[in-house]
Amino acid sequence: MTPDAVGLTAKEAERVRQLCGREPNDLEWGLFGALWSEHCSYKSSKRVLAWLPKEGPQVVAGPGGNAGVVRLDDRMEVAFKVESHNHPSYVEPVQGAATGVGGIIRDIVAMGARPIALMDSLRFGLEGNGQRLRDGVVAGIGGYGNAIGVPTVGGEVYYGPGYAKNPLVNVLCVGVRQSKDAIVGASGARPGQMVYLLGQATGRDGIHGASLLASRDFSADDQDMRPTVQVGDPYTGKLLMEATLAAIETGGVAAVQDLGAAGLVSASSELAVQSQVGLELHLDQVPCRESAMSGYEIMMSETQERMLLVLNSAHGGEALAAISQWGLNATPIGRVTASGRYVLYFGEREVANLEASWLVDGCPLTPAGKDLVAPAFKPMRPSPGSMEEGVEEGFDAGALMAIASDPDCRERRPIFQRYDSMIQTATVWGPDHEVSVLTVDGSPWGLALAVSGIGRWAAVDAYAGGAAAVSVVVSRLATQGAVALGLTDGLNAGNPDKPEVKQAFEQMVLGIRDAARALDVPVTGGNVSFHNETDGAAIWPTPVIGGVGRHFHPTAPVADSLNRPDVTLLLINPALSPSLGGSVWERQHGVLTAYPRVRLSDLAHTVTWLGTAVSDVDADIRAVRAVADGGLWLALVKMWLASAPSVGMTVTLEAVHAMPRLLSEEAGQFLAAVATTRVEATLLQLQSNAIGCLVVGQGHDGDYLELQVGRPSRWTRRWSRSQMRAAWQSWEGDSGGSGTP
Amino acid sequence: MTQFRLRMAVTLKPEVLDPAGQATQQVVHERGFPEVSELRIGKVVDIAMHAHSAEDALAKARRLGNEFLANPVLERFEVWVQSDET
Amino acid sequence: MTQFRLRMAVTLKPEVLDPAGQATQQVVHERGFPEVSELRIGKVVDIAMHAHSAEDALAKARRLGNEFLANPVLERFEVWVQSDET
Amino acid sequence: MKPKVAVIRFPGSNCDRDTVQAFQSLGAETTILAYDREDLEDATHVVLPGGFSYGDYLRAGALAAHAPIMQALVDAISRGAIEVLGICNGFQILCERGILPGALFANVSGQFRCSWEWVEVLTPPARWPGFRRGMRFRLPIAHADGAYRIGHSDREALWAQGSVFLRYVDPDGQETGEYNPNGSWEAIAGISEGPVMGLMPHPERAMQPWLGSKDGRLFLSLWLQEVPQ
Ligand SMILES: Nc1ncnc2c1ncn2[C@@H]1O[C@H](COP(=O)(O)OP(=O)(O)O)[C@@H](O)[C@H]1O
Ligand SMILES: [Mg+2]
């Protein structure tokens, strides 16, 4: 075995030799190759991720473990994290997505938390096999989540050319656990304790999945490098989840670590490092599904549905009994030592002898840029023929309908209907809302959950896109008056060895940092997926942000639609000079310019005000939505279509910049419907808080949406509900409902 | 032209985990069939097709298997003629 | 005892509607296989089993088919020996 | 006699906790019974909950139908000693075991479907007179294999015996006879025979207005023959 066969550079190989003080054997080279891969070592991102804020009084566990944990109340804690499964989903969409769901669920379980919700963030190409990939991915996510019994309560899907050969599949899982003094995780192992492997027998699945597949770009001649595809087994996953939680419940578990990328070597060495102990593992004792598996294969296998447990001597027996109740066996495969060494045996033979920290922390990291300030905003030349340039006033009804029916904007029912969103009977608001609301057993409070990350917004100005993703998520939580407790970030990008990719990545993280700081939310964990690049074509940098908020009245969410027409429509914190940068409209017209910078301090202000305003018992605010893709226009369309048939709306805009006003996707704006009798009071409140506001329309009791532009109105246009619904649900015309929702 | 009836068995590659087969084997093993030592589940596709000859039909069916019926990442297939009728 | 490898095809009874097969047939029909006039999808189960004789193995497999592998309301099955190894 | 509800947990069941909670919220004493028991303890009412028993591998419900506790259930039914409710996967298991007629096959769409539906009582079961003809419930479905099918020869008997308990009706409440979320024969959503009832929708998920409907409370109360709370 040569170092480059396991993916190590000459420099890295030299470092390995230095650490070991000798020439490693083949197996050892393999272990280094896997753990020093981009996917496992975070070598290109670790120093950049360190910029993110991770502290807060509510934070129980920040980045570093399997998932972040925040405090919901005195008794309950929330574990959550986003994980990507992009490369496997391209190779085999159904199983790739399914195993991604299984993997993130095990991360949450490894924190001792019971998974209560999933959300998925998907990106595909519009042309070619985008539809086939999407159908497979959706089948895979549903197939796993539905069967294991964790509801998929929301998600998002967007399209773009770079995703055609690099689809993104990011999944967020949220779990809850009771606050306990001893936090279960990977750090509790103590010398003398036994190490057990739990779950599926080990096969040759996915060997090199993480180290080679996910840590390199794709090219056409990668075919034979493809490992045996991992297959998700939600049935065993369910038993494993229950058995692990039951074992933890007994108090017999000292440490737990799920097996994911780079399988046993990654899980065991990480556990050793986190617990600051040595480990002695006997590979011949690992139950195998296939015959004659080598030590190397056993260490590298990415067979799913496995957990590593370290049991303590006091209650370990009870933990084993609890596990067998669920029909699973825990196999002892080694013990914890005080030596600090990481030693592997096959039979009597010692086959590796290293320090676990060499594997986990030894990889040389790429230095991060020193430039810790936001890059200057570069206003771009306006898009050719854009309204900003030519059409100073007026509007284009056809363009508006094209936005409502755009694949990035239209209704997602054909997707989310394939997910069980209601199991566990806590879903108050599910995937047909932009923010999900759940009750939490054992707490009077609930959770508000949101996920967002529009690559289009980061395409030109990654800083702006990163900040915007955080802004949208926090805005959505704010529409519920929820307090944002923490964020998780799934960062997807191309090949980090390319300077432009590295730079965009850093700027994306800076944007996330600045927004998270301004909005006072820590980032407690996340994921980085590089090498989303095939034959030299990379994706837009895509920051998928997930947010968890404390909801104070989860059984009565703040409405996002109306059942009475006596309202005035307000655009709160409106864009100062509405820009179409990065919008759907621009993408439709074949040009992308820079997405506007979110005014973070204005947004922070607005979020604070909303927090009290939406919970006001006087219910001045009857419905509210955060503006994002499709701009104010899409927010209006969605609010109206979700409203009772007796509610109509008339939207009134100045002629100047009417279209940018409607279609600007600048995050931080809110569409609110306020009881007309209370509008004056609301406007006064906003004014005294120095929050900008535009009155943009009125409710009425005709069943239509009317747009009036110019005062007095110079253009008007009216849409019936069925017209608008047909546009927004334009997937319905597609054959068999399998078009492009 | 003759109408051929073909049958295709689409099965998981031997090294690929078969959760369905595994669970089924475990249950039948426990419930009265201890002699079953392995059980794997795949798809069978019965096809009726007009063709000039059996070879012709088989060739078409193989293309069908490659392009539609089997997922080359996970599966392989065999196809054979069951009967022909003129 | 000999180890037998058997194969069972579990198929929908001919009078039972097969929406999956129909949908597939339509797709392949449109995409370059107009000669396919019928396509039905069932399951294939590959079984390894120790038995004294082929008859013995087949009899067991038939019981397995009746009790577990086929749903008598809508399905039927055929089973045959693929190979034996001592 | 106060009802004692037992919810059977098969490996892979995943609505067991929801179902226990639902019955407890109705004030019924409710426990979980493991699939590998050979008796039903002192249960008066047995519920087979939703989920993916054995992953729904092979066929939905097929492997669970052979679990040891199922023999105890068959015996108790023949003694007339028990009332049985199968929800979703539970319904599939009852059909696979032959306790209820017919079979549940893949939705015609070929896809899992989770949605709110209206169902209507077609034939009130003799055993549960509280369900009156024409009564409607708004309940969620969540299944990939919910298309009810039955052999030609058994269809007449199904009608004759009054087994056709529930059917899906149009979301607008119009009985067009065309609405069918999964392709069930005759839009059947539930069957009842003697002391056994099975349905695909999930009443245990419709226990609170904020979850979308509380019709499940009424449904389960009528099944328990308890005054709804
Ligand atoms: N973008 C990110 N932001 C914050 N933390 C991150 C990010 N990416 C990874 N991390 C943290 O690094 C650690 C290792 O991540 P990962 O290897 O994905 O974990 P696992 O193997 O358990 O899925 C985790 O604690 C994760 O939260
Ligand atoms: Mg982990």
Side-chain angles (χ1 to χ4, degrees):
Chain A
M1 183 116 18
T2 55
D4 66 314
V6 297
L8 294 173
T9 65
K11 204 177 121 215
E12 287 164 350
E14 207 31 60
R15 175 91 185 121
V16 167
R17 292 191 183 96
Q18 235 176 46
L19 285 169
C20 299
R22 63 179 162 87
E23 184 72 13
N25 64 31
D26 284 359
L27 173 59
E28 290 168 335
W29 275 125
L31 304 184
F32 278 105
L35 284 190
W36 288 19
S37 68
E38 184 63 59
H39 188 88
C40 294
S41 71
Y42 284 84
K43 57 189 166 196
S44 303
S45 59
K46 216 170 209 168
R47 294 212 159 115
V48 179
L49 295 177
W51 300 344
L52 295 171
K54 34 189 165 295
E55 262 119 58
Q58 75 278 26
V59 175
V60 180
N66 288 306
V69 181
V70 293
R71 201 168 283 117
L72 176 63
D73 61 23
D74 303 345
R75 292 184 49 215
M76 300 304 291
E77 295 169 355
V78 186
F80 65 106
K81 191 177 152 215
V82 70
E83 180 80 287
S84 66
H85 237 210
N86 304 335
H87 294 84
S89 301
Y90 185 47
V91 174
E92 198 336 85
V94 178
Q95 296 303 334
T99 50
V101 173
I104 188 61
I105 286 177
R106 284 194 301 282
D107 271 334
I108 299 305
V109 169
M111 298 306 284
R114 173 171 285 279
I116 60 164
L118 293 165
M119 298 179 102
D120 60 332
S121 177
L122 313 178
R123 304 289 181 276
F124 303 102
L126 269 171
E127 265 97 51
N129 60 358
Q131 186 167 318
R132 183 189 68 85
L133 287 172
R134 191 197 64 230
D135 282 348
V137 164
V138 170
I141 292 173
Y144 205 101
N146 300 344
I148 201 169
V150 180
T152 303
V153 300
E156 52 165 24
V157 55
Y158 292 102
Y159 299 86
Y163 304 123
K165 290 186 171 176
N166 305 285
L168 302 187
V169 178
N170 287 213
V171 181
L172 166 68
C173 184
V174 180
V176 294
R177 66 181 196 190
Q178 287 188 23
S179 316
K180 292 202 182 98
D181 297 336
I183 292 168
V184 188
S187 58
R190 298 293 170 263
Q193 294 172 337
M194 295 292 286
V195 181
Y196 291 82
L197 192 56
L198 181 58
Q200 188 64 261
T202 300
R204 291 191 174 90
D205 321 328
I207 291 173
H208 294 152
S211 51
L212 297 184
L213 196 57
S215 300
R216 284 186 184 173
D217 303 350
F218 261 124
S219 72
D221 48 56
D222 273 351
Q223 306 293 337
D224 14 321
M225 225 184 56
R226 283 179 186 172
T228 305
V229 172
Q230 301 121 281
V231 171
D233 178 2
Y235 167 61
T236 304
K238 165 80 173 162
L239 300 178
L240 183 68
M241 172 173 88
E242 296 294 350
T244 307
L245 292 174
I248 291 171
E249 190 66 28
T250 64
V253 178
V256 50
Q257 177 72 29
D258 61 297
L259 279 79
L264 187 53
V265 56
S266 169
S268 59
S269 59
E270 245 167 62
L271 185 143
V273 168
Q274 292 216 13
S275 297
Q276 297 178 299
V277 294
L279 279 187
E280 199 181 282
L281 299 182
H282 297 269
L283 306 190
D284 50 311
Q285 284 166 24
V286 171
C288 289
R289 197 175 82 236
E290 295 179 71
S291 56
M293 284 184 64
S294 68
Y296 177 79
E297 290 171 325
I298 289 169
M299 291 307 286
M300 304 299 234
S301 160
E302 294 187 3
T303 295
Q304 304 288 297
E305 284 85 40
R306 297 180 299 164
M307 268 306 173
L308 197 66
L309 297 184
V310 177
L311 301 186
N312 62 37
S313 37
H315 299 282
E318 292 155 48
L320 289 174
I323 289 164
S324 68
Q325 289 267 306
W326 288 95
L328 293 182
N329 288 319
T331 310
I333 61 161
R335 59 188 191 89
V336 182
T337 66
S339 73
R341 300 293 289 188
Y342 181 78
V343 190
L344 307 181
Y345 294 92
F346 206 107
E348 296 294 293
R349 208 155 50 86
E350 182 184 296
V351 291
N353 191 332
L354 304 167
E355 302 248 328
S357 61
W358 301 343
L359 293 171
V360 176
D361 297 324
C363 180
L365 302 179
T366 314
K370 297 207 167 49
D371 190 12
L372 279 170
V373 290
F377 179 66
K378 289 192 221 84
M380 308 272 295
R381 67 197 151 70
S383 8
S386 83
M387 293 104 177
E388 287 158 83
E389 187 181 55
V391 191
E392 285 282 289
E393 35 182 57
F395 77 100
D396 174 353
L400 294 178
M401 293 308 266
I403 299 293
S405 62
D406 188 271
D408 273 4
C409 299
R410 60 177 71 153
E411 202 201 16
R412 308 301 192 196
R413 185 170 302 277
I415 290 179
F416 67 68
Q417 199 164 264
R418 297 171 68 181
Y419 301 148
D420 189 337
S421 54
M422 305 176 194
I423 193 164
Q424 299 196 19
T425 58
T427 311
V428 181
W429 269 16
D432 46 354
H433 298 270
E434 287 168 353
V435 49
S436 304
V437 178
L438 277 79
T439 57
V440 173
D441 265 353
S443 175
W445 293 335
L447 293 175
L449 306 174
V451 61
S452 178
I454 300 184
R456 209 187 327 112
W457 296 356
V460 174
D461 181 348
Y463 176 86
V470 171
S471 299
V472 167
V473 166
V474 174
S475 296
R476 287 183 175 162
L477 301 181
T479 61
Q480 290 301 314
V483 170
L485 297 173
L487 302 174
T488 175
D489 60 334
L491 306 178
N492 306 274
N495 180 343
D497 301 332
K498 294 189 177 167
E500 68 276 15
V501 171
K502 179 170 188 286
Q503 192 190 16
F505 179 79
E506 291 184 351
Q507 292 182 354
M508 174 162 72
V509 173
L510 274 184
I512 293 170
R513 178 200 67 173
D514 287 355
R517 271 191 194 158
L519 301 169
D520 194 22
V521 200
V523 178
T524 59
N527 182 260
V528 176
S529 171
F530 281 128
H531 297 282
N532 294 288
E533 189 155 344
T534 298
D535 298 331
I539 59 164
W540 293 324
T542 306
V544 174
I545 303 291
V548 168
R550 178 188 291 140
H551 199 301
F552 296 99
H553 41 84
T555 58
V558 180
D560 57 1
S561 64
L562 296 163
N563 46 27
R564 292 169 50 180
D566 52 336
V567 295
T568 298
L569 301 171
L570 306 181
L571 181 61
I572 294 175
N573 191 31
L576 299 180
S577 60
S579 149
L580 289 168
S583 63
V584 181
W585 186 89
E586 279 199 341
R587 199 215 62 226
Q588 286 183 343
H589 291 78
V591 183
L592 281 185
T593 68
Y595 179 84
R597 294 288 171 83
V598 175
R599 292 163 292 119
L600 291 170
S601 66
D602 287 353
L603 174 56
H605 239 80
T606 310
V607 164
T608 309
W609 176 77
L610 266 176
T612 48
V614 295
S615 305
D616 192 341
V617 275
D618 286 347
D620 292 354
I621 296 184
R622 294 257 184 83
V624 57
R625 281 177 186 256
V627 170
D629 51 305
L632 168 63
W633 166 246
L634 196 67
L636 285 162
V637 167
K638 289 188 191 169
M639 184 179 283
W640 178 50
L641 288 180
S643 295
S646 56
V647 177
M649 289 179 178
T650 295
V651 176
T652 323
L653 294 173
E654 297 289 347
V656 175
H657 297 312
M659 285 296 275
R661 174 60 72 207
L662 279 170
L663 296 182
S664 171
E665 300 185 358
E666 182 177 318
Q669 311 181 80
F670 295 85
L671 168 64
V674 175
T676 298
T677 52
R678 307 281 301 166
V679 161
E680 291 309 320
T682 306
L683 290 175
L684 271 176
Q685 267 188 41
L686 285 163
Q687 204 176 23
S688 66
N689 282 282
I691 297 169
C693 183
L694 288 175
V695 175
V696 293
Q698 300 288 330
H700 58 69
D701 56 10
D703 191 14
Y704 59 86
L705 174 69
E706 184 165 287
L707 188 55
Q708 300 181 348
V709 173
R711 292 175 215 240
S713 79
R714 292 160 56 190
W715 296 275
T716 58
R717 176 68 206 258
R718 220 179 241 206
W719 292 273
S720 71
R721 191 172 286 264
S722 58
Q723 273 174 325
M724 191 61 78
R725 180 159 282 154
W728 190 53
Q729 301 180 334
S730 49
W731 43 266
E732 272 192 331
D734 297 331
S735 60
S738 59
T740 303
Chain B
M1 290 243 275
T2 313
Q3 157 129 322
F4 291 90
R5 297 195 168 268
L6 302 106
R7 173 166 277 184
M8 184 183 295
V10 182
T11 51
L12 286 170
K13 292 179 184 168
E15 67 274 19
V16 172
L17 177 71
D18 173 16
Q22 209 178 48
T24 306
Q25 197 239 329
Q26 198 200 322
V27 173
V28 303
H29 203 275
E30 288 168 9
R31 311 259 177 274
F33 297 88
E35 55 278 85
V36 173
S37 55
E38 210 188 307
L39 191 155
R40 289 175 73 84
I41 300 181
K43 272 195 302 256
V44 65
V45 188
D46 287 326
I47 303 163
M49 174 194 302
H50 285 278
H52 290 292
S53 66
E55 289 67 51
D56 181 21
L58 279 170
K60 285 246 166 59
R62 278 195 208 99
R63 263 188 51 216
L64 202 55
N66 281 317
E67 290 173 30
F68 288 98
L69 302 179
N71 175 347
V73 179
L74 296 167
E75 297 170 324
R76 55 185 190 182
F77 67 90
E78 301 150 70
V79 57
W80 61 96
V81 176
Q82 296 271 87
S83 74
D84 51 31
E85 304 142 23
T86 331
Chain C
M1 291 243 275
T2 313
Q3 158 129 321
F4 291 89
R5 297 194 170 267
L6 302 105
R7 173 166 277 183
M8 184 182 296
V10 181
T11 51
L12 287 171
K13 292 179 183 169
E15 71 272 19
V16 174
L17 195 72
D18 173 18
Q22 254 172 13
T24 309
Q25 197 231 324
Q26 201 196 323
V27 171
V28 304
H29 206 275
E30 288 166 9
R31 312 253 176 96
F33 296 87
E35 55 276 86
V36 172
S37 55
E38 209 188 311
L39 191 155
R40 290 173 72 82
I41 301 179
K43 274 196 281 274
V44 65
V45 187
D46 285 326
I47 303 162
M49 175 194 303
H50 286 276
H52 291 291
S53 65
E55 289 67 50
D56 182 21
L58 279 170
K60 285 245 167 59
R62 279 196 207 98
R63 260 188 54 219
L64 198 57
N66 281 318
E67 290 175 30
F68 282 94
L69 302 181
N71 180 322
V73 178
L74 302 166
E75 295 174 328
R76 57 182 191 184
F77 66 89
E78 300 149 70
V79 57
W80 61 97
V81 176
Q82 297 269 89
S83 73
D84 52 30
E85 306 141 24
T86 330
Chain D
M1 193 173 69
K2 270 212 116 5
K4 281 198 154 178
V5 180
V7 176
I8 301 179
R9 178 193 283 151
F10 300 92
S13 294
N14 63 21
C15 300
D16 45 334
R17 299 160 126 247
D18 297 349
T19 307
V20 168
Q21 244 177 33
F23 280 101
Q24 283 175 343
S25 80
L26 294 173
E29 190 184 330
T30 310
T31 54
I32 287 197
L33 283 187
Y35 75 106
D36 53 358
R37 293 182 69 96
E38 292 179 358
D39 66 273
L40 301 173
E41 286 195 318
D42 53 351
T44 60
H45 291 68
V46 168
V47 185
L48 286 71
F52 286 71
S53 55
Y54 294 98
D56 274 2
Y57 299 145
L58 190 60
R59 287 185 311 279
L63 297 175
H66 292 270
I69 203 167
M70 291 304 288
Q71 190 55 50
L73 191 67
V74 168
D75 295 343
I77 291 168
S78 66
R79 288 199 312 272
I82 202 104
E83 302 194 18
V84 181
L85 175 65
I87 300 171
C88 196
N89 195 231
F91 183 22
Q92 293 163 339
I93 295 169
L94 290 170
C95 289
E96 280 288 341
R97 179 73 191 205
I99 295 172
L100 286 176
L104 291 143
F105 264 58
N107 298 348
V108 280
S109 65
Q111 295 178 349
F112 187 94
R113 177 176 169 124
C114 174
S115 56
W116 285 95
E117 303 295 344
W118 283 96
V119 291
E120 182 181 272
V121 175
L122 209 61
T123 319
R127 185 78 168 227
W128 294 283
F131 290 99
R132 286 184 308 277
R133 187 185 176 84
M135 225 176 206
R136 287 193 174 165
F137 301 88
R138 185 168 186 260
L139 303 174
I141 59 168
H143 57 247
D145 303 286
Y148 185 77
R149 310 255 213 122
I150 187 163
H152 289 275
S153 50
D154 299 323
R155 292 181 181 177
E156 238 165 73
L158 202 68
W159 290 109
Q161 291 169 11
S163 307
V164 183
F165 165 50
L166 273 187
R167 74 190 296 177
Y168 300 103
V169 290
D170 203 276
D172 306 327
Q174 311 287 326
E175 200 175 344
T176 60
E178 314 228 313
Y179 185 75
N180 196 332
N182 56 17
S184 279
W185 176 64
E186 297 282 339
I188 285 174
I191 292 285
S192 88
E193 284 198 349
V196 185
M197 177 186 285
L199 77 165
M200 287 313 292
H202 287 272
E204 84 283 5
R205 296 188 185 182
M207 302 295 284
Q208 302 294 353
W210 58 82
L211 296 179
S213 160
K214 57 184 176 53
D215 290 2
R217 300 188 78 83
L218 175 61
F219 189 100
L220 295 182
S221 304
L222 293 176
W223 181 73
L224 280 174
Q225 313 211 38
E226 294 275 288
V227 185
Q229 298 172 355

